[in-house]
Amino acid sequence: MGGKYRITGNTYPRMRRPRHRRKLVLSATAAVVALGLAGWGTLQIVDVFTGGNKQANAADRPKVCPSPSASAPVKALPKPAAIKVNIYNATPRSGLAKAAADELEKRGFAIGKVDNAPAAYDKKVPGTGMLLGGPTAMSGSFPVLATQLPGASQKTDTRRTADVDLIIGTKFKAFSTPAAAASALTALTKPAPAPSSC
């Protein structure tokens, strides 16, 4: 090299390699990203074990529960006066059908036939009694009449009339008290609570 840049003598200038700023910037950036990822991962682990981030999972969102007033519709039941009851005595005790008819009449039921049970049921009803009627009686007359005689079995036949038979069984002692029967009837007419998923 000539001119003012000419090198003379035995001493050569020390030639330093240029600094690589790019490596420094990349190293610093990688360190920051690594620290950020480590911190984020730590937060996620903490949230999993403490239940912190509740919005992350749809299952953790608040459930919408129906209000307590929401309920199933009420089913209309016939009034006792609209139910015609035939009363049959299937026990060896005489006069039971007449006494039962008098009591049910006091409670507002319409009374039909009062007699001894037919041979098919005479002394063959082991419980407190049996309610016998057409298919529609299962959801109408039977529930109302059953409030007077809990535990009575229920059976349908092919009749097309609305009347029902009450066949008094061998374990019959007495009807429910008027208060207990009225309470059971009120419970039947109350709306059933709607099923809750909460």
Side-chain angles (χ1 to χ4, degrees):
M1 296 175 67
K4 65 178 182 178
Y5 296 107
R6 185 176 182 182
I7 298 173
T8 59
N10 295 329
T11 305
Y12 293 94
R14 178 175 286 176
M15 303 296 286
R16 180 180 289 175
R17 297 179 73 181
R19 293 181 179 179
H20 294 288
R21 289 179 178 264
R22 188 180 297 171
K23 282 187 178 180
L24 288 174
V25 171
L26 286 175
S27 297
T29 304
V32 169
V33 169
L35 285 173
L37 286 173
W40 181 79
T42 303
L43 286 176
Q44 293 301 312
I45 290 172
V46 169
D47 284 345
V48 165
F49 287 103
T50 61
N53 188 10
K54 291 195 177 293
Q55 294 298 326
N57 193 340
D60 292 330
R61 290 180 186 160
K63 294 179 181 178
V64 179
C65 298
S67 63
S69 61
S71 57
V74 181
K75 183 161 188 177
L77 291 172
K79 300 286 184 187
I83 302 174
K84 184 178 180 181
V85 187
N86 304 313
I87 302 175
Y88 299 103
N89 183 6
T91 74
R93 293 175 282 169
S94 61
L96 203 53
K98 178 70 170 76
D102 291 343
E103 183 58 33
L104 287 181
E105 191 172 23
K106 287 180 191 174
R107 299 185 185 197
F109 289 88
I111 304 301
K113 297 177 184 176
V114 178
D115 203 348
N116 290 325
Y121 296 104
D122 192 26
K123 300 178 185 64
K124 295 176 184 174
V125 179
T128 58
M130 175 187 288
L131 303 179
L132 186 64
T136 57
M138 288 297 289
S139 57
S141 304
F142 283 0
V144 177
L145 193 53
T147 62
Q148 309 297 323
L149 188 60
S153 60
Q154 300 177 8
K155 184 178 176 182
T156 58
D157 56 18
T158 57
R159 78 180 72 185
R160 296 184 180 273
T161 55
D163 63 321
V164 294
D165 299 343
L166 169 57
I167 304 173
I168 299 172
T170 54
K171 289 186 180 177
F172 175 82
K173 291 183 180 177
F175 290 113
S176 298
T177 64
S183 176
L185 188 58
T186 302
L188 282 176
T189 57
K190 279 186 180 176
S196 173
S197 58
C198 297

